[in-house]
């Protein structure tokens, strides 16, 4: 169970594409294009499958996944 975003298009954004906080589920088969900052940002999302997505003309970060650790530090995974 959880959020399912499948085969959606995110485009022509002067800011970010998709921003998720604390979700599980899946983002699959989506197309992200012409986005100024990050195409997909996920923070503190457990059990989130991000796969099979297409990214074109992304200005800053492609896919960014952050976890906040117990000590308050942020662990950052960037996938371009």
């Amino acid at each position: 169970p959880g959020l399912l975003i499948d085969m959606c298009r995110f485009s022509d954004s002067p800011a970010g594409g998709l921003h998720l906080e604390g979700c599980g589920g899946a983002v699959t088969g989506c197309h992200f294009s012409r986005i100024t900052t990050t195409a997909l940002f996920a923070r503190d999302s457990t059990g989130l499958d991000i796969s099979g997505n297409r990214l074109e003309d992304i200005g800053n970060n492609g896919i960014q996944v952050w976890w906040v650790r117990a000590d308050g530090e942020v662990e950052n995974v960037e996938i371009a």
Side-chain angles (χ1 to χ4, degrees), residues 13-17 32-41 55-64 66 76-80:
S13 173
F32 296 86
S33 63
R34 297 181 304 279
I35 295 173
T36 302
T37 60
T38 302
L40 192 160
F41 176 83
L55 284 70
E56 295 180 72
D57 194 17
I58 307 301
N60 193 2
N61 297 307
I63 297 173
Q64 203 171 27
W66 285 11
N76 182 15
V77 176
E78 292 183 28
I79 306 165

Side-chain angles (χ1 to χ4, degrees), residues 2-3 19-25 41-48 66-67:
L3 178 70
H19 185 110
L20 303 173
E21 295 264 347
C23 329
F41 176 83
R43 181 180 179 147
D44 295 334
S45 298
T46 301
L48 182 62
W66 285 11
W67 292 274

